[in-house]
Amino acid sequence: MRSPVPRFRDVERQGSGLQPVQCLPPYHERQNNMWFIQDVCGIVCAIITWLLVVFAVFVVLFVMLIPSKNLTYSLGAVPKGNATKEYIESLQLKPGQVVYKCPKCCSIKPDRAHHCSVCKRCIRKMDHHCPWVNNCVGENNQKYFVLFTMYISLISLHALVMVVFHFLYCFEDDWTKCSTFSPPATVILLILLCFEGLLFLIFTSVMFGTQIHSICTDETGIEQLKKEERRWAKKTKWMNMKAVFGHPFSIAWFSPFSTPDHGKADPYQYVV
């Protein structure tokens, strides 16, 4: 852990309530900037905490999510292998009603669903497969992907602003005093961070913009690429936003821990 750089100590020494002899000179304790609490109890608790996090991730992924065939853990995915004659008869479809079957995963294919060659199954209102989240972006997780790209772009922008201010601070002050690392190492680390932040800012900002455009036009990336004919009712941009982020507008739109209320869908639009 790195203690804050005592940049304003000279200002504090000019206060009327402080005597110069009582204040430490700036950067007097630079050799103690890096410190580690050698507390046995704290170290053991920290190790246990990280082991519990790793254990929880392992159990969620390899014990519950990956082997599970329950739709509760695969929201947005179409059940595989349900396009059997018996199941279709059990749907009690109306006369003239047509259902589509995916020949690749042998499932009843809902309207606006597409087969993902990576996930090897059909995804409802699929926009694209994103390797960065190792999943498809579709009907029930588009809100979380939009928030993911938005917050990553904001964090990247914040990092770039910090780099700029730190460069200016180092130029104004002595390079040996603005960082605990050597001046060459400081420059290299700041340049690498600037490159990384700029790269992620551009990438996530573009993805965020394309997702917002896709939501407002109510047309997924695959539908735009294939130029599919619109077979669904056209709604306003605000209605499309509420369909993804929830009804009505609230601060929960910006929370990745809040599940959006999508409202009631057409009973024959998505067959589960």
Side-chain angles (χ1 to χ4, degrees):
M1 184 175 180
R2 192 176 300 171
S3 61
V5 178
R7 186 180 178 185
F8 300 105
R9 284 187 177 176
D10 289 338
V11 178
E12 293 176 351
R13 291 176 61 183
Q14 297 175 5
S16 58
L18 296 176
Q19 297 297 327
V21 295
Q22 296 176 343
C23 298
L24 294 176
Y27 315 108
H28 179 75
E29 294 183 345
R30 179 162 300 281
Q31 67 274 14
N32 295 326
N33 277 353
M34 303 298 294
W35 52 273
F36 180 78
I37 299 298
Q38 300 179 0
D39 177 56
V40 177
C41 180
I43 296 174
V44 172
C45 290
I47 294 175
I48 292 177
T49 300
W50 283 107
L51 289 177
L52 290 175
V53 172
V54 173
F55 172 75
V57 173
F58 173 82
V59 173
V60 170
L61 287 178
F62 296 96
V63 178
M64 294 188 295
L65 293 185
I66 294 179
S68 176
K69 297 182 179 180
N70 193 324
L71 285 181
T72 305
Y73 302 110
S74 57
L75 294 176
V78 178
K80 297 174 64 174
N82 66 344
T84 61
K85 181 179 179 181
E86 295 77 11
Y87 184 77
I88 294 177
E89 291 177 350
S90 67
L91 296 177
Q92 298 179 353
L93 302 176
K94 296 180 181 179
Q97 186 176 352
V98 179
V99 293
Y100 297 92
K101 175 183 176 180
C102 178
K104 297 179 181 179
C105 59
C106 194
S107 63
I108 296 178
K109 191 175 182 179
D111 189 23
R112 303 186 69 181
H114 292 84
H115 184 87
C116 176
S117 59
V118 180
C119 296
K120 301 187 183 303
R121 68 188 310 157
C122 289
I123 305 297
R124 294 185 293 183
K125 202 178 177 183
M126 176 182 172
D127 186 87
H128 69 285
H129 182 90
C130 179
W132 298 104
V133 297
N134 194 31
N135 207 339
C136 280
V137 178
E139 182 182 73
N140 283 358
N141 66 350
Q142 191 172 23
K143 170 194 172 181
Y144 308 109
F145 184 76
V146 171
L147 294 180
F148 170 73
T149 56
M150 182 183 73
Y151 288 131
I152 292 296
S153 61
L154 291 177
I155 292 175
S156 302
L157 179 61
H158 181 250
L160 289 175
V161 172
M162 292 180 64
V163 168
V164 172
F165 275 99
H166 197 74
F167 261 122
L168 295 177
Y169 171 45
C170 290
F171 279 124
E172 293 176 357
D173 208 336
D174 190 352
W175 278 87
T176 59
K177 298 180 179 180
C178 68
S179 175
T180 56
F181 297 95
S182 63
T186 301
V187 173
I188 293 175
L189 292 174
L190 290 178
I191 292 177
L192 290 177
L193 177 59
C194 184
F195 176 77
E196 180 183 356
L198 186 61
L199 179 66
F200 275 93
L201 175 62
I202 295 175
F203 179 75
T204 55
S205 297
V206 171
M207 291 301 302
F208 174 76
T210 55
Q211 286 298 301
I212 294 297
H213 178 266
S214 175
I215 294 173
C216 292
T217 58
D218 193 19
E219 192 175 19
T220 65
I222 291 182
E223 292 168 347
Q224 295 175 12
L225 184 64
K226 293 184 176 181
K227 297 181 180 180
E228 296 184 356
E229 181 183 358
R230 180 183 288 268
R231 302 184 304 273
W232 54 93
K234 190 175 182 179
K235 298 177 290 186
T236 64
K237 296 179 180 179
W238 186 243
M239 292 175 63
N240 293 330
M241 292 289 289
K242 291 193 294 183
V244 174
F245 292 94
H247 303 271
F249 171 78
S250 67
I251 194 65
W253 279 28
F254 304 96
S255 172
F257 303 102
S258 174
T259 303
D261 180 14
H262 296 293
K264 295 182 179 179
D266 186 342
Y268 293 107
Q269 184 178 3
Y270 302 122
V271 182
V272 294

